[in-house]
Amino acid sequence: MKGVILRIHPEAMLVDVTHEIDAFDIVAGALVVKGLSRYYPAGTIHVAVVDPGVGGERRGIVLRRDGQTYVGPDNGLFTYILDRGPGMEAREIANADFMLLDPHPTFHGRDIFAPVAAFLSSGSEFESVGPRVADPVTLKIPHPQSSEDGIAGEIIYIDRFGNLTSNIGAEQIRRAVRSVSIGDVRIHGISRFFSEVEEARPLALINIFGLLEIAVNRGNAAQALGLAKGARIRVVWDE
Amino acid sequence: MKGVILRIHPEAMLVDVTHEIDAFDIVAGALVVKGLSRYYPAGTIHVAVVDPGVGGERRGIVLRRDGQTYVGPDNGLFTYILDRGPGMEAREIANADFMLLDPHPTFHGRDIFAPVAAFLSSGSEFESVGPRVADPVTLKIPHPQSSEDGIAGEIIYIDRFGNLTSNIGAEQIRRAVRSVSIGDVRIHGISRFFSEVEEARPLALINIFGLLEIAVNRGNAAQALGLAKGARIRVVWDE
Amino acid sequence: MKGVILRIHPEAMLVDVTHEIDAFDIVAGALVVKGLSRYYPAGTIHVAVVDPGVGGERRGIVLRRDGQTYVGPDNGLFTYILDRGPGMEAREIANADFMLLDPHPTFHGRDIFAPVAAFLSSGSEFESVGPRVADPVTLKIPHPQSSEDGIAGEIIYIDRFGNLTSNIGAEQIRRAVRSVSIGDVRIHGISRFFSEVEEARPLALINIFGLLEIAVNRGNAAQALGLAKGARIRVVWDE
């Protein structure tokens, strides 16, 4: 992909964000796009490829929002960009002038997404990529459920350190928190950083994706608590 | 290596291709060089270091072909560049002006290959690197055997997802394929992409190295099929 | 971190050194800083973040020595830069103008160290970062013990290939070596490269960090010798 980009746009500045997403983990990819893209300069083109359905019916897509552009498969990878409300434009990748000749049905990253990004970065028009898309795909990530006394959600992602990311966003925690319960553990309040609790003790904090996370200070929460994706998590307000 | 290059040529554009080759797996390195180098712009200098024999008798080498340059150990890492027929030039790295002072016998990547690449990228002459090499080392990768009704080869590389790369090249599959047999499995025809078959089902396809690969849709073929390097693979023509 | 740097200093040249340090392994980070920084050009700003105590009492720090700058947590990560004797200047990161607005207590890499590095790289004054630091933190890495007939140390780091790094520096081996003993093994002399010994045989050599290392040619020394961090190592002079 990098070679293809540099052949089309030799002055492009390439930045590796991550190559550590599991092969088919679209949710993890979506969280990285959510958490990181806003820190990049206006004009950045984000190419993201987590693409288990490559070669099948899924579309390729280009999104534009807030001065940034996103290129990749239309499989939910950009869910969190799409859920930010109006102001988003989307195009299906259809113009063969933007692709390598005879793109391989398996290597869309190299043969389609990389060249599209390179052409856009070197001045090609967003509108010329292909027709407008009204209904980009979004992941069916379960919504947390609010009640009188708190909010209930679940674990949607576990990173390589065993930290557990829930579907509860920072913006949904509008009141002081008495406790966070998960598995057999009840955690008191929300920490601001890991070393606020003793080593090997669990804590809850807002993580780099802007979501409530359960971690263990200097430990692996998934292993220590015996939890997996889908584990239920419950926040109780402090009165 | 990056620091050394930037000290010699501060304007060099550095591109990471991969750091995930197993420590001594020259075949894997050779496949990456084969599969990726042609996508890079003319003038690219490829530095590749998979070097179990470092410090011993093996030469350092610089190759030039089709406007691109390759720098690394002369241990077979460039086998697939060499087997493309005439038009290749090779020099042994012998000129100490191209190396760090007193190169460490173990860190040729840092002390020899990186500075050679940096000097070449900043305008030094290919010819001044050292004497011509007539016989660069190539890997003894077994050739697939053609017969009346098909072609027989073997698995030469397994990637971290468990996909099995054979020694049968796309260019050797000149007829329609009835079946591909490996281990206890017979696969019907060649797929163009993973999701052409159902989840957990095996398939055969041409991979990113231009070689016939056995994979399992959303699975790990090496584990699912219980196969290792050297496993025999057989393609049968359709009539 | 990369996005933050590029927003502040769009012309910055970013170089990835490593993302493979274990989560809390300050010693490994310190060794990488020791081994690699001197190969980078004058003017390089090294950002290093291995930071188990983030959010707690530990300071953020900027060091300057020999024309290079180091940014990160003041937790011992720069121990080997500090132990090079006089000529080092240190400042505590205190000036909020150098940080993102409202820095997150857990993500100092992104919100503090990256912007500090970006501002320094774009011309901000070292002195304006914050007050002078007289006593930067250093790791209590045990010193090897010299005796009449040799020197005794211990293993302080094991890399992902199983190579064992000791605390004995190249500069402390001023005499010819008869043997190096570790665990149940006695190794004769110091090798210059791996393939000097037969496959699967142990050897001692000076590694990329400038320290005495025990390795196994084409093997994993930690596994083969059954050794862990803290294992005692003993060098005996030849006469």
Side-chain angles (χ1 to χ4, degrees), chain A residues 109-186:
Chain A
R110 181 191 69 195
D111 295 355
I112 299 180
F113 303 135
V116 164
F119 281 115
L120 290 173
S121 77
S122 61
S124 294
E125 291 293 332
F126 173 77
E127 289 75 13
S128 59
V129 168
R132 207 178 292 273
V133 173
D135 57 345
V137 172
T138 55
L139 294 172
K140 277 159 204 59
I141 294 173
H143 283 283
Q145 300 299 322
S146 281
S147 63
E148 265 305 285
D149 62 338
I151 188 164
E154 66 183 73
I155 297 306
I156 59 172
Y157 174 62
I158 302 179
D159 72 19
R160 66 184 175 113
F161 302 116
N163 300 315
L164 308 159
T165 293
S166 78
N167 59 344
I168 301 174
E171 70 287 355
Q172 292 165 314
I173 302 179
R174 296 199 196 86
R175 298 173 56 181
V177 168
R178 174 183 300 173
S179 66
V180 179
S181 296
I182 186 166
D184 301 330
V185 180
R186 179 182 301 187

Side-chain angles (χ1 to χ4, degrees), chain A residues 21-22 25-33 50 77 139 156-157 209:
Chain A
I21 307 291
D22 282 347
D25 196 343
I26 299 172
V27 172
L31 288 171
V32 168
V33 172
V50 181
L77 202 46
L139 294 172
I156 59 172
Y157 174 62
F209 306 130

Side-chain angles (χ1 to χ4, degrees), chain A residues 16 39 192-193 206 208 218, chain C residues 2-3 55 104 106-107 110:
Chain A
D16 285 291
Y39 288 96
R192 293 175 309 126
F193 50 90
I206 302 300
I208 204 158
R218 305 204 185 198
Chain C
K2 293 174 180 174
H104 189 292
T106 303
F107 305 120
R110 182 191 69 194

Side-chain angles (χ1 to χ4, degrees), chain C residues 58-142:
Chain C
R58 72 107 187 87
R59 299 173 290 205
I61 200 168
V62 180
L63 304 176
R64 200 163 58 172
R65 173 188 286 280
D66 304 329
Q68 301 204 17
T69 304
Y70 302 82
V71 181
D74 181 27
N75 63 7
L77 203 44
F78 304 116
T79 294
Y80 290 106
I81 305 303
L82 293 165
D83 75 0
R84 285 184 193 158
M88 190 277 301
E89 297 172 88
R91 297 276 170 168
E92 180 176 353
I93 300 172
N95 185 344
D97 295 348
F98 282 74
M99 307 175 192
L100 293 202
L101 198 64
D102 195 15
H104 189 292
T106 303
F107 305 120
H108 286 196
R110 182 191 69 194
D111 295 354
I112 298 180
F113 303 135
V116 164
F119 281 115
L120 290 173
S121 76
S122 61
S124 294
E125 291 293 332
F126 173 77
E127 289 75 14
S128 59
V129 167
R132 207 178 293 274
V133 173
D135 57 345
V137 172
T138 55
L139 294 172
K140 276 158 204 58
I141 295 173

Side-chain angles (χ1 to χ4, degrees), chain B residues 59 61 63 74-76 78 82 88-90 133-138:
Chain B
R59 299 174 291 206
I61 200 169
L63 304 175
D74 182 26
N75 63 7
F78 303 116
L82 293 164
M88 190 276 301
E89 298 173 88
V133 174
D135 57 346
V137 172
T138 56

